[in-house]
Amino acid sequence: MQDIAILFEDNHLLGVVKPVNIPTQADASGDEDLLNLLKEDLRQRYAKPGNVYLGLVHRLDRPVGGAMIFAKTSKAASRLSDAVRTRKLEKTYLAVVRGKPAHIEGRLKDTLLKDERTNTVSIVPTGTMGGKEAILDFKVVGYDAEQNLSLIRVKLLTGRSHQIRVQLSGIGCPLYGDQKYGAGLNKPGEQLALWSVYVGFPHPVSKTPVDLISLPPRVFPWLLWEERICRQAAEDSVAGGNE
């Protein structure tokens, strides 16, 4: 089993760092997935007989890594799902994009439509049948002129499939390494530069704040910026700095 870092654990919750290039849950690829790996880990660590319950509350795309929270009880899963619906579960990402947005910070509101056949998402006119509203706030926290790459903090206000990738590509700044929504600028083999740096929510039982922070790995293109910049972006999310 992969070495999966644990950020938080109690009787109700399990917070971990999702490795890149592993599915969140089982898919058509048949590859090892995070949910089943964690279930097996819990079964072994606590010598549990039979099946282990672990509730999937939110997802990360296969190439994306970083902080994730899982529920160890059905009660916690239900309450966390409510927190997602009421936007009390906050999610902040760091992304490296090609170029530089026209504005240092702002809010993007689009209608997204998913094509299940091709597993691609596109921006469509408001009112399009099947389209879903997608909202995110962004702020440029770093720029490397030599590489023409920007480091952007993104706070998701909705949780649509491929949302960050599609919306940032929509303003002319596709993610570094994104073959699906930035194929003209990215080369095969480049790792998608999107990382879940912060997940925060009230504990489903105690109601005390739970803040999970995970910093991106010190590899290109993340290492173009000092680690403290990435850490500050995550900590500002805890303080509500992305509001």
Side-chain angles (χ1 to χ4, degrees):
M1 171 176 157
Q2 293 198 42
D3 185 19
I4 299 172
I6 295 176
L7 299 174
F8 179 91
E9 185 176 9
D10 65 9
N11 290 334
H12 311 279
L13 304 172
L14 177 63
V16 304
V17 177
K18 176 190 175 295
V20 299
N21 300 330
I22 178 173
T24 298
Q25 62 185 133
D27 62 14
S29 71
D31 295 340
E32 280 190 325
D33 65 280
L34 183 60
L35 183 62
N36 279 307
L37 284 172
L38 292 175
K39 283 182 179 180
E40 179 61 20
D41 178 58
L42 288 172
R43 191 183 68 80
Q44 292 186 15
R45 282 198 289 129
Y46 296 105
K48 288 179 175 282
N51 293 328
V52 173
Y53 178 85
L54 195 62
L56 184 64
V57 179
H58 65 115
R59 293 168 176 78
L60 292 177
D61 289 349
R62 181 173 182 141
V64 182
M68 279 194 77
I69 189 69
F70 293 83
K72 291 170 69 176
T73 66
S74 57
K75 178 195 286 188
S78 175
R79 292 180 178 177
L80 281 180
S81 294
D82 285 340
V84 171
R85 282 193 293 272
T86 56
R87 298 183 182 175
K88 290 177 181 174
L89 188 145
E90 300 185 11
K91 294 179 285 185
T92 302
Y93 296 75
L94 279 176
V96 179
V97 303
R98 299 284 184 180
K100 196 182 212 179
H103 303 284
I104 294 297
E105 58 185 308
R107 173 167 290 185
L108 302 181
K109 294 179 72 172
D110 295 293
T111 300
L112 303 185
L113 182 65
K114 184 172 184 178
D115 185 332
E116 297 290 349
R117 291 181 306 105
T118 60
N119 191 32
T120 56
V121 178
S122 55
I123 297 174
V124 296
T126 302
T128 299
M129 185 178 295
K132 295 182 179 179
E133 184 180 54
I135 308 171
L136 63 77
D137 289 338
F138 73 90
K139 182 175 183 179
V140 179
V141 295
Y143 177 68
D144 186 282
E146 183 177 342
Q147 298 286 339
N148 192 27
L149 296 174
S150 296
L151 180 66
I152 297 182
R153 186 179 75 216
V154 177
K155 179 176 180 179
L156 276 184
L157 301 179
T158 57
R160 308 307 181 197
S161 181
H162 298 180
Q163 180 178 339
I164 295 173
R165 300 162 67 181
V166 175
Q167 288 193 277
L168 291 181
S169 180
I171 62 170
C173 295
L175 268 66
Y176 175 91
D178 194 344
Q179 306 301 320
K180 190 165 283 191
Y181 302 105
L185 293 171
N186 293 309
K187 301 172 184 175
E190 292 175 340
Q191 176 64 46
L192 182 76
L194 181 60
W195 196 265
S196 170
V197 292
Y198 173 73
V199 177
F201 52 91
H203 192 283
V205 177
S206 68
K207 309 304 179 187
T208 56
V210 177
D211 298 305
L212 308 182
I213 289 179
S214 172
L215 300 184
R218 300 304 294 163
V219 297
F220 189 88
W222 301 109
L223 51 65
L224 292 172
W225 297 275
E226 295 179 21
E227 187 175 279
R228 65 176 179 80
I229 295 176
C230 296
R231 181 173 295 280
Q232 189 64 55
E235 291 176 351
D236 283 348
S237 298
V238 178
N242 210 14
E243 297 292 343

